[in-house]
Amino acid sequence: MLVSNNSYMPPKYFILNGIPGLERVHVWISLPFCTMYIISLLGNLGLVYLIHHEESLHHPMYFFLAMFSLVDLFTCTTTLPNALCIFWFNLKEINFNACLVQMFFVHGFTGVESGVLMLMALDRYVAICYPLRYATILTNPIIAKAGLVTFLRGALLMIPFPFLVKRLPFCQSNIISHTYCDHMSVVKLSCASIKVNVIYGLVVALLIGVFDISCISVSYTMILRAVVSLSSADARQKAFSTCTAHISAIIVTYVPAFFTFFTHRFGGHAIPSSLHIIVANLYLLLPPALNPIVYGVKTKQIRDNVIKFFQGEKGASTQDK
């Protein structure tokens, strides 16, 4: 697509190649992916519905959880349907601009997800360290503003990515070894220097990932100090139990995220590309699939309301008969 000796037109489309080396088992790989996606849809939609419907769950912790569930839903929906089209129907073409849009939403929603995890940690800090002032500190307007700021931070920091990619010349292959348009996977196809893209990617990682993890770490350090100082063993147990679901969500979200981030930039050829792509997909699929289950099992109020809901449905159906 040469225009002059020194300029190149951007490609009209990219080819998303799925998981290289595992093409023969794409259909089998799609089965657990599809199962996790269905669980994500049902679990997160059910959780949001429950929190919206039950007045007993109209508290800051559950409002943040509803935000988290919605972000999880949007995150996996930006990539999984496209991946399933590759696995099932071999539909690998994606328009250049559509690829940039997908890139923006994937990275934007993962940035928002990290921010909501940080807000949930701050919520636990206020609830445990300042229990008497909890309701006055985390009012509904404060929760709404915190959610809006987190969303805007994720969106504004990701806006430059598509423009940084669009300025690059693509004079080589247009085949992306991935199931979705990841920033680094796309820019590596360029025949120009990608130094600016790499540096900006690191800056965003510092402004979102490092900042959020630092806030989470400080929050839990203060929580630990407060809990250890409690005289009653029952009180300590109760305080710790309110944090276990959130800690599980942090682990499930950040471990694959770190793996994906560092292997893209520093892994070189040491990590098989197929393993990297599978983990990158799990990074977007595992948290949405597991978080509703974890919170349903670990959080008594949610567990009780789920049981109450199904018992009510069963009772209603019995009366209809």
Side-chain angles (χ1 to χ4, degrees), residues 115-317:
V116 176
L117 276 173
M118 176 196 66
L119 293 179
M120 294 167 80
L122 294 176
D123 165 76
R124 290 298 83 208
Y125 163 70
V126 175
I128 292 172
C129 297
Y130 302 98
L132 299 178
R133 296 173 57 196
Y134 180 57
T136 56
I137 294 174
L138 291 177
T139 60
N140 288 348
I142 292 294
I143 293 168
K145 288 174 185 176
L148 179 61
V149 168
T150 302
F151 175 80
L152 289 175
R153 183 193 68 163
L156 292 174
L157 286 175
M158 301 307 165
I159 284 174
F161 277 125
F163 295 101
L164 288 173
V165 172
K166 208 161 189 175
R167 72 182 178 83
L168 294 172
F170 292 88
C171 48
Q172 302 176 36
S173 172
N174 66 338
I175 298 174
I176 302 173
S177 296
H178 217 305
T179 57
Y180 62 87
C181 291
D182 173 76
H183 174 245
M184 289 304 297
S185 297
V186 174
V187 300
K188 284 179 180 178
L189 299 179
S190 173
C191 50
S193 171
I194 60 171
K195 188 175 181 180
V196 173
N197 296 70
V198 173
I199 290 172
Y200 186 71
L202 289 171
V203 169
V204 170
L206 287 171
L207 292 175
I208 292 182
V210 174
F211 176 79
D212 291 349
I213 291 169
S214 299
C215 289
I216 291 169
S217 300
V218 171
S219 296
Y220 272 101
T221 301
M222 301 300 288
I223 287 169
L224 189 61
R225 288 177 59 186
V227 171
V228 169
S229 66
L230 294 173
S231 57
S232 167
D234 288 340
R236 287 196 294 269
Q237 176 63 31
K238 186 177 179 181
F240 273 127
S241 67
T242 64
C243 299
T244 52
H246 182 244
I247 293 170
S248 301
I250 291 169
I251 293 168
V252 169
T253 301
Y254 281 119
V255 168
F258 280 132
F259 180 89
T260 301
F261 178 81
F262 286 114
T263 53
H264 247 321
R265 287 161 179 79
F266 313 113
H269 299 287
I271 307 293
S273 61
S274 57
L275 176 62
H276 168 78
I277 294 165
I278 289 171
V279 173
N281 278 276
L282 291 177
Y283 161 49
L284 301 178
L285 267 176
L286 268 182
L290 292 182
N291 287 334
I293 298 171
V294 169
Y295 274 93
V297 171
K298 294 286 187 181
T299 310
K300 184 179 184 299
Q301 291 88 337
I302 292 176
R303 188 171 65 246
D304 290 346
N305 276 287
V306 169
I307 294 168
K308 177 185 166 185
F309 174 79
F310 281 109
Q311 285 178 342
E313 289 292 315
K314 186 178 178 181
S317 63

Side-chain angles (χ1 to χ4, degrees), residues 1 192 296:
M1 290 182 276

